[in-house]
Each structure stands twice: as C-alpha cells, then as structure tokens.
Amino acid sequence: MRYAHVCPGIFRARPNRFIAIVELEGREEVCHVKNTGRCRELLVPGATVYLARSGNPARKTRYDLIAVEKGPLLINMDSAAPNAVFREWVMGGFFLPHATALRGEYTWEDSRFDFYLESQGRPVLAEIKGVTLEENGLALFPDAPTQRGVKHLKGLIRAASQGFDAWACFVVQMQGMSAFVPNRRTHPAFAQALEEAAAAGVHLLALECAVTPDSLAITGRRLPVLL
C-alpha cells in the first residue's frame, strides 16, 4: 500500500492518544495519530516521524502520523495498514492456494474476525494483529494488555475445533527482525492463550514488512514464532 503526499517532521508531544504535536517546516502542526496504542517507545520527543497529508478539506487535522524512526529502524504505526497489506498479499496469491470468497470483518459466534476466505473447499478464519514493538531485534505483541486479543485467540481455538482453518497472523510493521515472540511481560494471559491456540491447531504466522516513508508491503519472509 502507498500513501500520498508524505513529508517528514519532528515529534514534540502527544496530548492524547488521538493527536500529536509535530514540528513541520518550522511550525507546530496538530496531527491525527493512526494508532491509538501507547507507542511510548516510539513517540519520544525529537523522533523523526512521517506524515501523510489528508485530502479531506473538512478535517480538523490536515495530517496523519503514519511512521516513525527508532534508531536505524523505520516503523510503520498505522493501525489500519496491517489489514490492508494482508488483503493485498492474499489477493496476490501468496497466502493459501486457490483462495476465494475473501470477506473482511466476518462475524462468527461472539467474535468479529478480520478475514474469512475459502481455500480448496475449506473455510478459513484469519485474525490480523499489527506489530510495532521491537526489543533487541525481536518483534513483540502486544505493547499493552489486550483482552480483545485473548478473546480472538479463544475464538480461533473454537473455530479450529469445528473444522475451520484458523490463523493468527502478526503483520510486523518493520524489517530485519530475527523472530516474533508474544510479550509475556506485558500481558501473560495473551502469551498463554497463544500457546493454547498453537496446541489446538491454530496456525501462527508472523510476516515481515518492507517499510518506506510512503509505503508498506509484506515481503513474504515468515519470521520464526518463539513461544
């Protein structure tokens, strides 16, 4: 996926989870943050960030904050991007053979999953999680406790027991990580649920992305998932 009209800025402050103050061409600009997570290790004063200018003149904010530099890493932090690039990857034929009937926001039992599709006559459920947290060359999820994430994993376990091909897919919004690991320190229950999902036949997939200031794309490299 590509963004239009991208420019660099300097992050200054985040008054709340929806907006950031960014220095842009010598002035302070109030920007929409396309990730409502904590992102404390990313949005630090002085960090170089990348902004995409909105084409909607009626918006209160003219720019979206979409990416940030963390040392040598460029990290896309647009929370809507993982689903978009995963859809592109599926449509390109890189996920499962002969994938058809791709639908987003699919409700099954008490959960809404990101994607439903069919492959070789079998129903498939896929839940997508964007990963922006890095520590010592490892990609980690989540960066904050997520009861919703635990619920999705338990739903995938039930789906697998009822004949679905169930997938928990982690789209790593950066490049060069050695592996993916659940963030047990931040949310032990999610790490435990991920172990239970793997044992129950849910497929775990961590996908590396290539990131530029104005684009994000799945490279196809599958990172080891270390439980």
Side-chain angles (χ1 to χ4, degrees), residues 79-111:
S79 59
N83 279 28
V85 296
F86 186 82
R87 179 184 285 274
E88 290 177 353
W89 194 63
V90 172
M91 297 301 291
F94 302 111
F95 179 39
L96 294 173
H98 311 295
T100 60
L102 180 64
R103 283 185 272 170
E105 296 295 312
Y106 184 79
T107 300
W108 182 77
E109 290 193 349
D110 64 347
S111 293

Side-chain angles (χ1 to χ4, degrees), residues 3 66-68 73-77 172-175 208-217 219:
Y3 301 91
I66 56 171
V68 59
L73 284 177
L74 178 60
I75 301 174
N76 178 288
M77 52 178 291
V172 179
Q173 293 167 258
M174 65 194 94
Q175 197 163 8
E208 177 187 73
C209 285
V211 186
T212 71
D214 66 352
S215 71
L216 184 74
T219 67

Side-chain angles (χ1 to χ4, degrees), residues 16-17 21 26 90 94 98 112 117 125 131 135 141 162 173 178 196 200 219 224:
N16 61 51
R17 63 194 182 115
I21 309 299
V90 172
F94 302 111
H98 311 295
R112 180 177 292 180
L117 59 145
L125 284 178
V131 181
E135 289 184 6
F141 182 90
Q162 295 182 38
Q173 293 167 258
S178 60
E196 293 171 0
T219 67

